[in-house]
Each structure stands twice: as C-alpha cells, then as structure tokens.
Amino acid sequence: MEKLIRVRQEAPLTRNVLPGEVPPAGKQARRHPAHHARSSCSRPSQRPTLSIRSAEGRRWAADLSGPGAAGLVVYGIGGSGKSTLARQIATRVGRMQAGCVVSVVDGEVSAAELAAGHVEANFIIFHNFDDNLSQEAGQWSFRDPALPTLLANWTAKLLITCRHPFILPDPGAAKAAPDAPWLTSSRRTTDKFVFRQLGPLTRSGAAELTGSLPAIRRLADSERERAWRLTAGHPLAMEYLDSLLALGESYPAVAARIEAMVEVRTGQPLPGTEPTELPAAAAELIACAARDQLLGELFDRLSHGARALLVRASVFRLPVAAEVVAGRASQIAECEAAGLLAIVGRDELAVHRWTADALHRRLVEAGLGAQVEAAHRQAAWHWQVRAAGSPSPHRAETEAGYHQRQALLAAEAGRPAGRQPGTGGTTRRRRAVLTRAGRRGVTGAFLAGALATLSVVLTIEATRASPVPHLASALAPARTSALAPAPTLIPARASAPARASAPARASASAPVSQAVLVRARAAAWAASQVGSGAIMACDPAMCAVLAQHGIAAGSLLVLRPGAADPLGSDVVLATAAVRTMFGARLVSVYAPELLASFGTGPARIDVRAIAPDGAAAYRAAIAADLRARRLAGSELLRDPLITFAPAARAQLGAGQVDARLLTTLDTLAASEPLRVTAFLDEGPGAGPGLPLRAAELTGTNNTARKMLAFFRAQRPPYLVAQAAVTAGPDGESVLTVEFAAPAPLGLLQAQS
C-alpha cells in the first residue's frame, strides 16, 4: 500500500497555499507534486502573505503550544480563511517549538491508511477534513469509526480545518459539555481537542484584504467599509465583489443588489451592526446571500463554453490538469478573470469548494442538476482510468467512488421530465431564400397546441452518463439511463489484458493512461455531438469505448485491417489504427472535413465527416452551402424582428451559421421578436469553416421558455440536439440551443 504521507519536496511552511488549497483567483501558486508534503517550521518565509487572520492566529496557537490540548479544530463556512489561518498557526507554533516538522493531509483518509504511513512529523494539518465526516441526526460524525480513536491517541500535534464541528466519541467530551449544542460557542474542549469557530474578518483584517484587491482598493474608505458589511466580513465573498467590479460593474448598483438579496434571505434590511458583532448564524446567512448574488452575476457573464468548463472543473475535490476537463485557454482565462477558477502550478485547475457548492445549488434550482450529475460521472471516469494505470491506485479509486456516489445523489435530487413532442401548424413567411418548401420541416410551435405541452417540455433533459468535454457537454441528452451508476469502464481489479501487470504498469502507465483518456474524450464528444441516427466508423477498441458511452451497436461500423473504405458511415473516428488502414486517402478521398480533434501524436483521434460521393464533390457542396448561408444570413440581418449582437452579425454576413439555425430563427421570428447574443462554437480542434451549430438567445423568462418549447417541438433535421434555459444578466434568461454534427449540406439550396 502506498504510504499516506510521502516526503517528495522540502518547502517552507509559510508558502501562500497549502496542498489542496485554492489560491485567490488570478494568482498562481506552486503545487507540490506529492499530495501530502512536509516542511520545516524553522525555514523563513519565501514570499509575502496577508495576515488577515493574525489575531486568531496569535490566540489560537496557544491551544497547541502548551502541554494540554493535542488537537485544534478550526471550523467555519467555506472561504472564511481556515487554510490561511492554519498556515499562520503552524508557523507560530513552529517558532515556539524547535525542530517542528509539519505534514499536510488533504481530504479523505482512513485510519488504516494513516496508521500504515511512517510519519516523521510532529505537527499534522488535516485540511478539508469534512471529507471524513457524515451527518447523522443533525450532527457530524466520523465515517470511519476507527479514525477518532487513532487521532485521540496520536502523539503529534493536530490541526484540523473543516466546515462543521463534529462529535468525538470521547468520554471527555461529555464531561466538558454534556448538554450544550456545538454551535453555541466558539470553543469546545474535550480531553485532547479544542474547537474554535472562525467568524468574520475583523476591521483590520478586512482593511488589509481590501487593500490587496485591485478594484475594491480604489474605492473610498466609506465604500470599502460598506463592502465589509455587505459581505459580513467574508474573505472569499469580498474577492467575488472585487472580481465583479474589475469586470466593469458599478459599485453602487452591485451593493444595492446585494442588500436586496440579504433582505430577501433574512427578511430584514442589512443590519448596521459590524460583522464581528453579529451572531454566527446571522453572519453566515448574510455572507451566503452576498456570495449567491455575486456568484450568479459572475457566472451569467461567462460564455457558454466557460460555464460548461467551470461546471466540469467544480466537481473535483483535487486540482486537475486542464486537459482533464477539456479546458481551452480562452475559457480558462475567462473563468479565472471572473474569480471563479484558480490555476494551480502550471496547468492544473481548481474551483474553491464554497464556489462549487453555490454553483451546484444554483444549477439544481434552475432545473439543470443533470449538468452536475454529468460532471461527476466524467470525473469518476477520469479517476477510474488513473486507478487502472497506477501501481498505487487507492487515492484514485477513492475519488472515483466519491464521484459515482455524488452522481447518484445528483440524479436522485430531481430528474426533469423527458421531452414531449409539440404540435401545431406551419408558418408561411415569404422570403426569397428561406421559402415555403424549407419551412415544411419546421413546426410552428408558437401556434395552436404549443402551450398545451409547455409544462412538460420546459424541463431540462438528463445528461448522458459519460459527459462530453465540450461547450454543450452539460446539456447533452442521455442515450442510456442516467439513474444507473456509471459503468466501470476499467475495473479496479481487472485481469490482463484489461490491466497491465505490475512491472508493465510501472513503465507504461503514463502513455497508456493518456491514450485511454483521449479515447474517452473523443467518445464522449461523439456520443453527445453527433446525431443520434448517425453511423460511426471506428476501430474495434474505439468502438468498444463508444459502446460504453451509450452508442448502440447498430450505429457502429467496425473497421478492421484490410477494410476497403469507411463509406456507409456518417463520421469516422480516426485513431492511429484507422489512419494506418487508409493512409492519405482517409483525408483526400473519404473524410476531408475535420469535426473535432483530441490528443496529440500517436494518441490523436480525429472525428471526421464522411464524403459519400468523394472529397471533390463534398468540397463543392460545402462551397455551395456557404454561398447559400451567406445569402440567407444577409436576409436575416435585414429582418427588423431579430436583433443580433455585433459578433453575431459578422458571423451571419460571413456565412458561418448553420443552415438549420438560419431556418428555425427565421420561422421563430414570425411569432416572436428575437435577440441573438452569440453563435457558438465548432468542435475542439475542428477545421476552419465549419458552420456554427449553437446559438444563445436572450429574453424574459417566459419568452425564453416559449422559445425552448418551439425548438423542442421540431422534427429532424430541424430538431436540436440539446437546449437549455439559464439565468442571464439583468433578470433576463438565456436560451442556448445546439444542433448535432455534422451539419447537413444543401438544405438552403433545396428550399430555393
């Protein structure tokens, strides 16, 4: 078994970020390669750090420096600065005790694993200890019953940070406070543990923090004082506020919206009492109200792709590489600028747990809980792959199990109803390009009968079990039941050849894991983005992964060595094996159009559209379709009932918009004025010139849901692959729709 605490790198304790801690947005932090690290308390600080919790650090370090209590538990709501405080306390204790060596244990751990590790440290910090707790009868207790006994008998000093105070099955606890509830005091003492609740920032701590925030520090002193009160002295909420102001929002307007949210949540205006004088429950309620308001505004400002990336990254408990969540540089930068995503090390991404909790709750309340479920299933798959390729897979298996449980909980929290077909007649607007013939395929859902089905078509469909790392991954409809657990694609204890032997694993785990991950990403994208009736050509291994992602066997054309061609399919997933089979003819003859690409080198997988009549005929059809799309786009630009954002106008004029979108928007505008804010993107790594298959439309909540019903009521080829309504800025709603790939050619020519 892998030792729980492994010494990999010496580092000063006074580093800005503990392992597992998310640094402030926009600031990069060095992440140690080992999950558990140790450092010498006697080393000097290498970088300056804020001392916003210096008062608590001085007082509470005394709880650990003396011969009495062996453990200190610092608890409080997420984002309140527990990690910062733990670092300050450890530094102070180290100065008072010579030879202090600190180990950090992040997240979930069992007593057996902890006992098996040969720990040299005499000071252990347990970070994110909530992962070891479960709530029973309104109280938090240990999931592993052996863990509290082990901790109580540990000879080292212990510092535990968590969001909730927990019950220690220790007789001394009953003697200390037999009847008192845990939350009524900031200090509870057992025989060996002291519990302290971390509250709002003091005035001096808030002044130091706001002085380091670029947007807030430009405010007047009275406004900075108000920011402290608006957020109930919560550090992360204040950083949210700074991010929103840095994006150009007006401080008075934002402050007014926060006060309104606080009044809604508490039933009374924002109190004039200083945050440090508020009861703990009241301060937490105000901080959460401010967070939810600010997070909502920041999230709504993101593009659709950035939102999808943030959801995918938010479910991970540990920082992950950008490629794991298919993070594009532009989307990562957008989320980081909003203060909702942090870059750890060179390319690892992390979302603060307080941010993630609020985001997930927001999605569930909006009827989009399937996005959270899908993200957990994708994370479970990632850790399953890691476990299969690791000689010490326990941590990866633990994380995979966690995400599988969370996916099931998300599914049980409320699954929206399935899609219901709409009814109605056909609109017959006259236009030179978009003529009556084309509209026969577009059902006018705004006409008679549409409102009768509105209550059942407005819900967001369940996301598929293995989500896609793409802008619409969180919106993809399921092909298999999402209520079922995610399939164990690589068993934790499989025999060869599913799992390599131990010696082979040690030498080849990295490239094998990379190839498997690329196959999973390509399969997930194809399962979500390619039309449900499309035939996919693939080598046997790739077809097996597609089947695991819910693609029916009848939709797969297996390519083997000696195959004549991939014709008869709609798309081909060109792995290295497929490229070897067909050589240069794959691109020059059979599949000239690149829909998406994943990975690099031999592991690269290209998803290509098949040209049934050859590459020359296909390119001619693309050129004709582009001319028709330009003409149709020019017609739509002159329609007074449709308003386009500047970028969308340019895309229309250039012919970049999918013909299905052009036709449905034209028909939709006959019954409802439209505002199109964006046309969204092609597949990752796609070739130039592919039609944009997705769009964002804004309007009132009622209008957006009526438009959603319209798109849901269409018939192929005008039936969208996925559609969803989310909350937008200024109280409006945003409808995002996306058609499946590949885009059909010749629709507009057939109409003219």
Side-chain angles (χ1 to χ4, degrees):
M1 176 181 294
E2 180 184 16
K3 293 181 180 179
L4 182 68
I5 298 181
R6 180 184 298 165
V7 178
R8 289 275 192 90
Q9 177 176 342
E10 293 292 330
L13 178 70
T14 51
R15 61 190 184 275
N16 282 343
V17 182
L18 293 172
E21 178 187 359
V22 178
K27 300 178 182 178
Q28 295 208 0
R30 171 178 294 180
R31 182 175 182 267
H32 298 275
H35 182 60
H36 308 287
R38 76 172 184 179
S39 57
S40 171
C41 293
S42 59
R43 284 187 165 186
S45 173
Q46 301 295 310
R47 294 190 293 179
T49 181
L50 296 178
S51 57
I52 58 175
R53 292 295 187 181
S54 57
E56 294 94 337
R58 289 193 302 270
R59 295 196 308 268
W60 297 356
D63 293 324
L64 288 174
S65 59
L72 170 65
V73 179
V74 177
Y75 68 94
I77 63 173
S80 57
K82 297 184 293 293
S83 299
T84 299
L85 178 61
R87 174 177 44 76
Q88 293 176 352
I89 291 176
T91 301
R92 190 171 182 83
V93 171
R95 290 171 180 168
M96 294 184 288
Q97 297 181 358
C100 178
V101 177
V102 177
S103 287
V104 178
V105 179
D106 191 6
E108 189 170 349
V109 62
S110 68
E113 295 163 335
L114 191 60
H118 299 288
V119 181
E120 302 175 6
N122 49 21
F123 194 134
I124 303 176
I125 298 176
F126 289 91
H127 187 53
N128 287 321
F129 198 72
D130 302 86
D131 294 346
N132 299 289
L133 306 176
S134 61
Q135 190 174 28
E136 299 177 4
Q139 294 180 324
W140 293 88
S141 58
F142 289 79
R143 289 206 308 269
D144 181 356
L147 186 56
T149 302
L150 179 65
L151 295 180
N153 294 322
W154 206 270
T155 57
K157 297 286 186 180
L158 305 178
L159 174 56
I160 297 173
T161 66
C162 54
R163 285 177 289 179
H164 310 285
F166 48 84
I167 297 296
L168 282 166
D170 187 317
K175 296 176 183 178
D179 300 316
W182 288 89
L183 289 175
T184 58
S185 171
S186 63
R187 188 178 192 274
R188 287 287 178 231
T189 307
T190 68
D191 287 343
K192 290 194 173 184
F193 286 85
V194 173
F195 286 76
R196 289 195 179 273
Q197 185 173 14
L198 190 61
L201 285 176
T202 63
R203 184 185 297 274
S204 60
E208 183 168 0
L209 176 60
T210 55
S212 70
L213 300 176
I216 293 182
R217 72 184 178 193
R218 292 196 295 266
L219 301 176
D221 290 343
S222 60
E223 293 176 319
R224 292 168 63 175
E225 168 92 4
R226 187 184 182 192
W228 175 48
R229 296 174 184 270
L230 285 170
T231 57
H234 189 277
L236 189 53
M238 297 173 77
E239 291 184 15
Y240 286 159
L241 176 58
D242 183 76
S243 297
L244 195 58
L245 297 180
L247 293 173
E249 286 289 339
S250 163
Y251 176 72
V254 173
R257 293 195 292 270
I258 295 175
E259 288 190 354
M261 175 63 80
V262 170
E263 186 167 357
V264 168
R265 293 286 181 86
T266 64
Q268 56 187 2
L270 185 73
T273 308
E274 292 189 357
T276 51
E277 298 174 357
L278 292 171
E284 180 174 342
L285 191 60
I286 293 171
C288 289
R291 170 201 61 183
D292 292 345
Q293 178 64 36
L294 293 167
L295 173 66
E297 295 190 30
L298 289 167
F299 184 72
D300 290 342
R301 293 177 68 100
L302 298 177
S303 67
H304 186 87
R307 293 179 205 168
L309 166 66
L310 186 67
V311 174
R312 291 194 297 270
S314 67
V315 300
F316 284 90
R317 297 193 292 187
L318 302 175
V320 294
E323 63 186 30
V324 173
V325 290
R328 301 183 184 179
S330 60
Q331 296 168 353
I332 293 172
E334 192 177 350
C335 293
E336 187 186 15
L340 303 179
L341 182 73
I343 300 177
V344 183
R346 291 186 177 180
D347 61 353
E348 289 189 313
L349 308 180
V351 177
H352 197 287
R353 294 193 180 194
W354 205 53
T355 304
D357 290 345
L359 174 60
H360 298 166
R361 183 165 52 253
R362 174 183 174 85
L363 292 172
V364 170
E365 291 173 352
L368 301 175
Q371 296 188 16
V372 182
E373 177 195 352
H376 274 298
R377 293 192 185 279
Q378 180 179 356
W381 157 247
H382 163 73
W383 288 113
Q384 286 173 341
V385 172
R386 288 282 298 272
S390 172
S392 301
H394 177 79
R395 181 67 188 192
E397 290 173 348
T398 298
E399 293 301 312
Y402 162 77
H403 288 293
Q404 287 179 331
R405 293 192 302 272
Q406 293 301 313
L408 289 175
L409 290 174
E412 294 168 0
R415 183 162 302 284
R419 185 185 328 192
Q420 299 292 330
T423 60
T426 303
T427 62
R428 300 189 182 275
R429 298 186 65 205
R430 294 184 178 180
R431 179 163 295 159
V433 179
L434 302 173
T435 62
R436 183 178 306 158
R439 298 191 186 99
R440 293 195 185 106
V442 182
T443 305
F446 278 77
L447 304 181
L451 295 181
T453 62
L454 195 56
S455 61
V456 292
V457 300
L458 298 185
T459 53
I460 308 304
E461 295 186 27
T463 311
R464 52 176 296 99
S466 297
V468 49
H470 179 58
L471 70 93
S473 63
L475 305 176
R479 294 190 183 182
T480 57
S481 173
L483 287 172
T488 304
L489 302 178
I490 297 184
R493 292 289 183 268
S495 59
R499 285 174 59 95
S501 63
R505 263 201 326 258
S507 62
S509 61
V512 170
S513 297
Q514 178 66 19
V516 172
L517 282 171
V518 172
R519 286 185 184 274
R521 291 171 55 198
W525 188 90
S528 173
Q529 296 298 301
V530 177
S532 59
I535 303 298
M536 304 185 198
C538 43
D539 65 47
M542 189 71 242
C543 284
V545 179
L546 286 169
Q548 290 167 345
H549 280 72
I551 306 301
S555 297
L556 298 174
L557 175 62
V558 182
L559 301 174
R560 303 183 186 277
D565 56 57
L567 298 179
S569 62
D570 297 288
V571 298
V572 57
L573 281 83
T575 57
V578 172
R579 293 193 295 271
T580 300
M581 290 180 204
F582 303 109
R585 290 176 60 82
L586 179 66
V587 176
S588 63
V589 177
Y590 303 124
E593 193 71 70
L594 181 60
L595 301 177
S597 183
F598 303 89
T600 59
R604 189 184 90 246
I605 299 176
D606 296 332
V607 184
R608 292 185 167 275
I610 292 293
D613 299 320
Y618 189 83
R619 292 191 179 96
I622 288 178
D625 195 70
L626 176 60
R627 290 192 295 269
R629 296 198 309 267
R630 284 175 178 166
L631 184 56
S634 299
E635 290 286 344
L636 283 183
L637 287 173
R638 290 194 289 269
D639 192 331
L641 297 177
I642 311 180
T643 303
F644 295 99
R649 295 182 65 86
Q651 291 164 334
L652 275 172
Q656 296 177 348
V657 181
D658 191 294
R660 293 166 294 182
L661 270 174
L662 296 172
T663 304
T664 49
L665 290 176
D666 170 64
T667 305
L668 180 57
S671 303
E672 188 79 19
L674 305 179
R675 280 184 292 158
V676 180
T677 55
F679 291 111
L680 301 172
D681 71 28
E682 64 282 351
L690 282 183
L692 301 175
R693 299 180 285 110
E696 283 186 356
L697 297 85
T698 59
T700 64
N701 184 60
N702 183 56
T703 299
R705 294 188 176 277
K706 287 167 63 180
M707 292 189 295
L708 174 63
F710 169 82
F711 280 101
R712 289 282 179 81
Q714 304 312 310
R715 298 178 181 178
Y718 301 101
L719 178 61
V720 293
Q722 44 252 339
V725 173
T726 56
D730 302 324
E732 291 187 318
S733 295
V734 178
L735 168 65
T736 303
V737 296
E738 185 171 29
F739 286 94
L745 302 177
L747 287 181
L748 296 175
Q749 294 96 313
Q751 298 168 13
S752 58

